[in-house]
Each structure stands twice: as C-alpha cells, then as structure tokens.
Amino acid sequence: MQGRLGRWHLVPIALAALLLLGALAMLGLDRAMRVRALEETRTAATSQAAILAAGLESELNKFSLVPRVLAVDPEVAALLGGESAQRPLLNRRLAALAQQTSAAAIYLMDARGTTLAASNWDRPDSFIGSNYRFREYFNGARKDGAASEFALGTVSRRPGLYLAERVGPADQPLGVVAVKVEFDSLEAKWRDAEDGVFVTDAGGIVLLASNPEWRFRSAAGERPAQRDPARDAMRFGVAEPLPFELPATGPAASRVRMIEKIQPIAPVGWELHLLADPAPRLSVALANGRLAGVIALALLALAGAGALVWRRQRQARAAAEIAAQTATLREQLQQANRLATLGQITAGLGHEIRQPLAAMRVYAENGERLLDADRTDEAAENFHRIAGLAGRIGEITEEQLNFSRRSAEEPRIIALAEVIDGSLLLLRDQIRQKGLSITWPDPRSAAAARVRARHVQLEQVLVNLLQNAVQAAGQGGEIALAIAARENSLQLSVTDNGPGVLPELQDSLFQPFVTSKREGIGLGLAIARDIMRELGGDLTHEATATGARFTMTMPAA
C-alpha cells in the first residue's frame, strides 16, 4: 500500500518535469524559428536588393549615353563654335530628346558655363542664359571629360542627378552638355512595393528614398570633419545633414530592427540600401513553431495510446494514397484534354488530305487510259493536276509539322500573312464544317505587315484564338481578322460574334485554370499571353457589342 502511495507521489514530480522540459523545448523552438525567419528575410532582401540595384543601374546607363552622344554631335559643336543659327533647331531637338528619354532637362553650356540651348527653352524656368560655372559637374566635365553630381535645382529646387560630358578636346574645350535626371516615379514605385529603400552617395548622404523624410540625411554615422557646410547647403539645401537611423518595426514592447541589405550602384559610386521588415515572418514563424510545439507535447502525452496513434497513422496513409491517386487521375484527365485538342486539328487535316488523294487516283487512272489512246496532251494535263494536288498535300503536312515542332529558333522578321495562312490551313476543316464566314485583313496592310518574333509561337497563339473563336461563333457565325499599326508595334485582332466572355470571368480570364468550357482546363489563354509577353508584346481581351475580341500585340520589324 505504501509502495503505491510512493508511486503516486512521483506523478506530480513527473508532470512538473514534463512541463519544465516542454517549456525549455518551446524556448528552444522559438529561438530556432526566429533565427530561421530572420535568415529567410535576409535571403529575400538580398535578392530584392540586387533586382532594384540592377534596375537603377540600367536607368543610369541609359541616361549616361545621352550627353556622350550629344558631345560629338556636329550641331552642338557648330553652336558652340559661334553659329547661332543652330540654336532654334537644337532647342527643339533637345526638347524632343528630353521627352523621349523622360529626362528632366538637357542643356548645352559654353566654356564659361553660360547655357546656350536647353530642352526647356520655351518655359518660364528656362536654363538659357543661366551660368552654371559654380557647379561641380561643369568643372569636373571640363577637366576630366565626364562628371556627375546630385543636387537641388537652382530654380526648381527639385533634386536630381546631373550627368555632364565635355564638348571638344581637353586643352581647348568648347563647352559642356548636361542631362538632369529626376527619380520621382522610381521613388514612388519603391514606396508602393518595398518596406524601405534609399540610395546613398560615397559620403553616406541619402540621395533617393522611398520615404521623402529620409532624403539628405547622413547614413555614415557621425559627420565627417572634411564635409563643407556651404557646399552641402548649396547641393542639398541643408548645411549639416541630420543622422539617419534605421527604423524599427513591431509592437512597442518588442521592437524589431529592420534588416538592411546594401548593393553597390556601379556607374556613379552609389549604394542602394533595402530595408526589410522581419516582423511578419517572425510572427508567422513563432506562431507555427509554437503550434508545432503544442502538437509535439500533445503527441507525447498521448504516447501511451499506441493503438489510437496507429489507427490515425493508418487513416493518414490511406488519405495520402487517395490524394495521390486523385492527383494522378487529374493529371491524366488534363493530358487527355490536351491530346483531344490536338486530335481535333489532326482529324481535320486528315480530311483535307483524303480529298486530293482520291482526286490524284482518278487523274492517274484516266492518264493511263489517255496514254493507251495516244492522247498525250490530255494525259500530260492530268499529270500536271496530280503534281498540283501533291503540292497541296505537301503544304498541309509541312504546316502540320511546323505547328507541332518545338522550335528553339531565334526571333526573326516574319510576314503576318504567312502566320494567318498557316493557322487557317490547320483549322480549315472546322471552319468549313460550321459554315463560318472569315473576314480577312485588308490585303495591303496584310502584305506589308512584318513583325519580329518566332513563327511557330505566333502560329500557336493565333490557332488558339481562332479555335476559341470557331467554338464561340457557332454554326454560320462570323470571324474577323484585322491588322492595325501602332508606333513601334503591330496588332492582330480576332473578333467573333459569339456570346462573349462572361462578366465574372473577364478580370481573371488569363489566369491558369479559369475557363467557361465544360471540357476545358483553362490553360490555353494563360500560355498564349505568356508567349506574347516573352516575345515583347501582349495579348488582351475586350468585349464587343456582339461577341469578343482578342488582340495580339507584337514588336514591328
């Protein structure tokens, strides 16, 4: 009896030990999940910072070419050489170039720093007549050939990067051409997409930032003794930049510092800083970790119920097998659906080939009789017709092979008329069976339409759109193809007079597995749009009064 009582006294001790072990395990799990969440945040931040830095470098490289090209322009040299008649023409050229490149301003200064021509020549804040000899980018370009400087505009007080290039040789410079680049749109994108982004120069001064309050603060710690307050006041509007501190996030009781990732910006010696907020990942990781800990403790508490655990495991295995079988069946159904689509086209091609084969046999038999009767001229005509029919069969089979081929060809100049002819050839039997009316593009526009793309991929997209239009238009329906030219692209549209796309599907029409067809799986349009965007174009949909219109946009050749 006393032995039993002694054993019962051990139960509270065992429970206390289990609780203590559980608490220690929870603390260790929390720590592990926290470390993992922080590491995931750092990894994602490193990748995102590299992407943002590459985008900014690309933008800067684009603008750096403008002053370099203008510096060797004959009209620029002529104006700096004293030919004032070039000024109106050059002003208009600079204005057009600034609009095309989205530059804030492009302007030309003589060797003394006086602006002779500018893209903003016709605006109240025109640079013409202003002297920028005091700017570092002017003096640096005169001395070294090229220079850059980030500063506030003297008139607009808007910050921007000035890229300058010397015109003429170093010993006898004619002047300097400069481009001002503003980054308002880029900062707005950062503000909408990232937790925090800012860019610093070589001295640690914040030049660009997703938060305007961070701009012109010093991220280099204490103010270096060699900084010039007067120069900083002229460039940044503040004589002594305030220190920049990394923001914290999360509840006040458990503030978490933002994770900072730095990427160099090659052309100008800047650094891009990405601030990533680890709080969301931390909260999710801790919640998942604690949930896993509770489940583990619960499983340990139920360790004695081996039979129940075994039963649950068996049920879990059975559910997993059912899920695997269901996934396999779903995949087989999808494959069968894809093969059915290919079979529809192939069946139509077989019908297209059987007719000329039958005609060839009749012509051949008649040709033999005509030769026996010594009617060689008529027999030759029969053989000529046989050759034409054989050529037609060759065209059909060649188009089928081209369409089914997985081509790794590079983009090339393609006539849209060839793509249209090939696509309609593949679907001719379906179109004829349904009695559809096909409206072709204007012959002149179709003959002149040239795009840069991959033939097989364009035909794949067009066949998909035409097949959808054939199904939507129904018996005796109408399908219209039209070609329209834009500034740097061509558009090929397919319009049908079917019932159109359901309103509830229009916003998600190009998402995978979205379809209104009972037999469809909803991948055709998603794949088609991916192909067009890979080719540098797009695929769009618009509802019409009597049906639907899908438009392929392609880069013009």
Side-chain angles (χ1 to χ4, degrees):
M1 187 71 174
Q2 291 179 350
R4 288 185 179 179
L5 291 175
R7 286 194 296 271
W8 280 110
H9 285 301
L10 293 176
V11 172
I13 298 174
L15 291 176
L18 287 175
L19 290 175
L20 179 59
L21 290 174
L24 292 174
M26 291 295 289
L27 289 175
L29 187 59
D30 276 4
R31 180 177 178 82
M33 297 303 290
R34 181 185 181 88
V35 170
R36 180 179 178 183
L38 292 175
E39 186 60 32
E40 289 177 353
T41 304
R42 291 189 187 96
T43 301
T46 300
S47 175
Q48 186 62 17
I51 293 173
L52 295 177
L56 181 55
E57 285 184 358
S58 175
E59 192 78 1
L60 293 174
N61 286 328
K62 177 187 74 173
F63 283 108
S64 66
L65 293 175
V66 177
R68 197 176 307 164
V69 172
L70 288 175
V72 295
D73 191 288
E75 294 181 2
V76 171
L79 179 59
L80 292 175
E83 297 182 20
S84 58
Q86 295 288 341
R87 191 193 310 270
L89 176 62
L90 192 55
N91 280 333
R92 289 192 292 272
R93 279 190 60 200
L94 295 180
L97 185 58
Q99 184 177 9
Q100 291 171 2
T101 60
S102 301
I106 306 176
Y107 50 104
L108 175 64
M109 297 162 283
D110 62 17
R112 294 180 298 277
T114 301
T115 305
L116 302 182
S119 60
N120 57 5
W121 61 276
D122 57 345
R123 288 167 41 185
D125 57 349
S126 172
F127 291 179
I128 294 180
S130 298
N131 190 286
Y132 296 105
R133 188 184 185 90
F134 64 93
R135 286 292 198 185
E136 288 188 8
Y137 65 81
F138 176 83
N139 295 304
R142 278 199 54 176
K143 177 182 177 183
D144 302 324
S148 64
E149 180 184 9
F150 193 96
L152 292 173
T154 55
V155 178
S156 66
R157 306 307 292 169
R158 293 173 60 83
L161 175 65
Y162 295 85
L163 301 170
E165 194 85 16
R166 182 182 63 219
V167 182
D171 54 348
Q172 291 183 343
L174 299 176
V176 172
V177 62
V179 176
K180 182 183 180 183
V181 185
E182 295 179 355
F183 300 91
D184 293 349
S185 61
L186 183 63
E187 290 176 315
K189 291 179 182 177
W190 290 348
R191 202 156 37 244
D192 294 338
E194 306 299 335
D195 296 327
V197 183
F198 63 95
V199 175
T200 58
D201 63 9
I205 300 299
V206 178
L207 304 180
L208 308 175
S210 57
N211 186 344
E213 296 180 358
W214 299 348
R215 188 181 294 121
F216 301 142
R217 290 179 177 263
S218 175
E222 297 183 359
R223 176 184 176 83
Q226 65 270 24
R227 293 203 70 90
D228 183 355
R231 177 172 171 269
D232 286 346
M234 182 176 62
R235 288 184 61 196
F236 308 133
V238 289
E240 296 187 4
L242 296 174
F244 175 80
E245 296 182 359
L246 291 179
T249 183
S254 57
R255 303 289 281 177
V256 179
R257 288 183 64 83
M258 302 282 276
I259 291 177
E260 180 181 21
K261 287 297 177 181
I262 302 175
Q263 282 286 334
I265 307 298
V268 288
W270 293 354
E271 287 184 338
L272 182 140
H273 303 247
L274 174 67
L275 303 180
D277 182 3
R281 279 191 171 91
L282 279 174
S283 60
V284 171
L286 291 177
N288 290 339
R290 289 168 184 171
L291 178 60
V294 169
I295 294 175
L297 290 175
L299 290 176
L300 287 175
L302 295 175
L308 180 61
V309 173
W310 175 81
R311 181 182 178 184
R312 289 182 178 178
Q313 289 177 342
R314 185 179 63 178
Q315 292 174 345
R317 285 194 297 269
E321 291 176 358
I322 293 174
Q325 292 174 358
T326 303
T328 301
L329 291 174
R330 187 182 296 111
E331 183 177 352
Q332 291 173 350
L333 288 174
Q334 293 174 356
Q335 178 68 10
N337 182 270
R338 287 192 291 269
L339 293 175
T341 302
L342 181 59
Q344 293 174 3
I345 296 177
T346 304
L349 294 175
H351 181 75
E352 290 290 333
I353 292 174
R354 282 195 299 271
Q355 289 182 341
L357 282 175
M360 288 170 64
R361 179 174 182 179
V362 172
Y363 283 129
E365 292 173 352
N366 288 340
E368 290 179 353
R369 297 189 188 95
L370 290 172
L371 288 175
D372 292 340
D374 202 21
R375 296 162 62 182
T376 57
D377 291 342
E378 296 179 44
E381 179 64 24
N382 275 20
F383 295 140
H384 178 71
R385 291 176 179 175
I386 290 173
L389 292 171
R392 180 182 172 189
I393 293 174
E395 291 177 359
I396 295 172
T397 55
E398 180 66 22
E399 189 60 41
Q400 183 184 19
L401 289 174
N402 288 338
F403 181 75
S404 62
R405 184 180 295 124
R406 290 186 177 179
S407 175
E409 61 176 344
E410 292 297 321
R412 57 184 177 88
I413 297 177
I414 297 170
L416 270 185
E418 296 178 4
V419 178
I420 295 173
D421 289 341
S423 301
L424 290 175
L425 177 62
L426 291 173
L427 297 170
R428 186 163 58 187
D429 186 67
Q430 297 183 30
I431 293 172
R432 185 173 53 241
Q433 287 181 359
K434 290 196 172 184
L436 298 176
S437 173
I438 304 295
T439 302
W440 282 70
D442 178 69
R444 289 177 296 179
S445 63
R450 297 288 189 276
V451 296
R452 186 166 185 82
R454 298 181 179 91
H455 187 283
V456 174
Q457 289 185 332
L458 279 189
E459 193 167 300
Q460 178 182 351
V461 175
L462 184 55
V463 167
N464 183 283
L465 298 182
L466 285 171
Q467 199 164 29
N468 289 346
V470 168
Q471 295 173 358
Q475 195 71 29
E478 297 178 358
I479 299 175
L481 290 88
I483 297 175
R486 295 295 180 262
E487 183 176 356
N488 295 315
S489 62
L490 288 176
Q491 292 184 336
L492 173 60
S493 61
V494 179
T495 307
D496 64 71
N497 65 341
V501 179
L502 297 175
E504 59 269 22
L505 294 181
Q506 291 184 7
D507 292 339
S508 58
L509 185 60
F510 293 99
Q511 295 179 6
F513 308 110
V514 175
T515 180
S516 60
K517 304 175 185 176
R518 292 182 179 179
E519 70 279 6
I521 61 173
L523 288 177
L525 288 176
I527 294 173
R529 171 175 273 189
D530 287 344
I531 290 174
M532 295 308 301
R533 289 183 172 176
E534 180 186 352
L535 294 174
D538 203 355
L539 177 63
T540 57
H541 161 265
E542 61 176 306
T544 64
T546 59
R549 178 181 295 117
F550 288 85
T551 300
M552 301 164 58
T553 301
M554 299 150 281

